[in-house]
Amino acid sequence: MGLDDAPHQGGQIEVRRSNRRRRTVSAYRDGDKTVVLIPAQMTRAEEQQWVDKMLARLAGQERKRRPDDGELARRARDLSLRYFHGRAQPASVRWVSNQQTRWGSCTPVDGTIRISDRVRGMPEYVLDYVLLHELAHLLVPSHGPQFWELLEVYPKTERARGFLEGFASAASGGEAVADDAD
């Protein structure tokens, strides 16, 4: 099978050849593995070219979906302007890898916002909700009625909360899990 289970930077590559596939090539991530689907009649050289091309394409798509810290801070500023009239002004916004039970956290005293790496790659409306949730804490530190009133301005709040609840439930094997933005 050529490159089956060959290691690469993001994990393993599995090439699947199909007799039914004639011209199309596709690829997707399956955990740490990248699966590349190709026509069975491709040569090994063509296979390698397509694997390289598909890895580059997937990496580009992932970069678009996974903003770096600077892009994350810009997104937070834009959301604050759009939904909170610019009143929530964080000192810093960054991705962190040490939050396994929270989607994000905020320290209102120093204006820092941290977003869990687990949110990377989730739909944009979910990332926006998590950012808005933490931005709202800069204005109202608690989860009281004033806090939730602030979030009512975001039209996808309930949808995002549902997505996060479903994600947390699936990750825990279907058990009910409380995993709030902070």
Side-chain angles (χ1 to χ4, degrees), residues 48-67:
Q48 183 60 55
Q49 289 174 339
W50 275 105
V51 166
D52 292 344
K53 183 176 183 173
M54 298 311 285
L55 287 174
R57 184 177 293 169
L58 285 171
Q61 291 170 349
E62 289 166 350
R63 274 191 301 278
K64 287 179 185 174
R65 286 195 309 257
R66 298 178 178 186

Side-chain angles (χ1 to χ4, degrees), residues 5 8 10-14 16 28-35:
D5 298 324
H8 73 95
Q12 299 290 318
I13 299 171
E14 179 181 329
R16 295 182 188 165
Y28 62 92
R29 302 274 194 221
D30 184 12
D32 280 345
K33 181 176 16 175
T34 301
V35 178

